[in-house]
Amino acid sequence: MYKKKPFFIVFEGVEGCGKSFQSKKLFSKLKKKNIDTILTREPGGTKSSELIRNLILKDYFSKDNKEKFDKYTDTLLYLAARNEHIKNKILPALLKKKVVICDRFIDSTIAYQVYGKKVDIDFINNIHKKILRNVKPNIVFVLKVSTKISKKRLIKRKIKNRYDNFSQTFYTKAQNSFIKIAKNKKNYVILDSSSNDNVLENIIFKIIKKKLHI
Ligand code: TMP
């Protein structure tokens, strides 16, 4: 018998790694088992956070380079979206002993803003101290993908995203950062998502079933 408990699952990785696809698959598998689960994403997840997400993405596609957000403004927007998201969605769900699946979380900020854009990590850590409210992922899946496959997946996409047209070196750097963050941490699982999504889906579900005792 499944005993309800708060459980926070995060998917991380670069664009085109298949994390949104895998989050959705896991969500529907848990729902089929009648596990009380929510699926959410960052930046976004609540009405106000989605507004902030639109602001961030709109700025990225703005043609006027002089008017683009400074990297600290950009970082603050991600953190503002996170604050709203944790306070109004993630924490309430965990308090109700739900399973929360989140497409991206704090490691995206470390990979993209700190390693990628060289934003001061102390600045981010200090804000996190206030806004995380002790919310920590129980498990983080880092999906690794080859450049060839990620490119192929990105080309197929209709809606472009912030880093969809960034250079390959940026992706490689971001992916290496995710792997570096995950290395030697027991609540992180690095999985290769280049080959077969079906196989990967089952691997992920098996791990979660074991964790939730279902
Ligand atoms: P998505 O591609 O998963 O929808 O995410 C939107 C973009 O936001 C993606 O390019 C990664 C970026 N991002 C950051 O740069 N920092 C963050 O903290 C988060 C959550 C996302």
Side-chain angles (χ1 to χ4, degrees):
M1 244 288 277
Y2 167 64
K3 194 169 175 291
K4 254 187 127 177
K5 62 172 179 181
F7 201 79
F8 187 23
I9 305 163
V10 171
F11 282 86
E12 295 278 13
V14 294
E15 286 73 0
C17 75
K19 64 183 171 44
S20 305
F21 179 82
Q22 290 299 336
S23 318
K24 282 183 199 136
K25 288 287 173 188
L26 179 62
F27 177 66
S28 64
K29 278 189 152 84
L30 289 171
K31 278 288 192 197
K32 265 192 202 145
K33 289 236 170 228
N34 285 323
I35 310 289
D36 202 354
T37 310
I38 65 158
L39 173 63
T40 190
R41 68 169 179 183
E42 287 214 348
T46 67
K47 212 170 159 190
S48 53
S49 304
E50 289 290 333
L51 284 174
I52 301 170
R53 177 190 176 94
N54 288 340
L55 210 62
I56 298 170
L57 297 182
K58 202 170 153 210
D59 174 71
Y60 175 65
F61 290 111
S62 146
K63 298 240 158 30
D64 190 349
N65 267 328
K66 273 185 273 163
E67 281 291 316
K68 271 189 190 289
F69 290 144
D70 170 74
K71 64 181 181 183
Y72 280 90
T73 308
D74 185 63
T75 304
L76 284 165
L77 287 172
Y78 282 112
L79 297 173
R82 180 162 300 139
N83 187 38
E84 290 297 313
H85 190 210
I86 293 175
K87 185 170 185 262
N88 298 319
K89 193 167 183 181
I90 299 180
L91 192 57
L94 292 173
L95 289 172
K96 285 184 192 144
K97 297 187 174 174
K98 293 186 188 204
V99 173
V100 177
I101 304 171
C102 192
D103 182 344
R104 295 196 186 280
F105 197 54
I106 57 173
D107 296 331
S108 283
T109 318
I110 306 301
Y112 289 104
Q113 277 66 51
V114 176
Y115 289 117
K117 299 277 182 71
K118 307 288 168 220
V119 171
D120 178 9
I121 193 166
D122 293 334
F123 172 80
I124 291 168
N125 285 344
N126 270 330
I127 295 173
H128 272 159
K129 262 184 224 155
K130 249 311 189 247
I131 68 170
L132 292 184
R133 300 169 178 88
N134 278 329
V135 168
K136 283 188 206 102
N138 294 90
I139 188 159
V140 181
F141 291 103
V142 172
L143 303 190
K144 225 171 53 168
V145 70
S146 74
T147 30
K148 211 173 124 196
I149 302 280
S150 72
K151 248 189 186 158
K152 227 169 142 183
R153 287 180 186 156
L154 291 178
I155 289 166
K156 269 202 214 149
R157 271 194 205 170
K158 288 190 187 79
I159 307 160
K160 277 203 162 275
N161 214 330
R162 187 171 164 80
Y163 295 104
D164 281 358
N165 43 7
F166 260 46
S167 72
Q168 201 50 63
T169 42
F170 190 88
Y171 287 117
T172 311
K173 213 164 134 190
Q175 176 150 290
N176 289 341
S177 311
F178 280 120
I179 294 167
K180 200 165 146 186
I181 295 165
K183 273 239 165 94
N184 305 320
K185 296 213 184 87
K186 65 175 192 315
N187 60 330
Y188 281 73
V189 183
I190 305 171
L191 294 168
D192 195 321
S193 74
S194 300
S195 53
N196 193 331
D197 281 329
N198 249 337
V199 173
L200 187 62
E201 214 180 295
N202 293 330
I203 294 173
I204 292 170
F205 194 45
K206 207 171 156 190
I207 295 171
I208 294 302
K209 275 201 298 193
K210 206 169 159 195
K211 293 268 180 200
L212 294 177
H213 307 289
I214 49 174

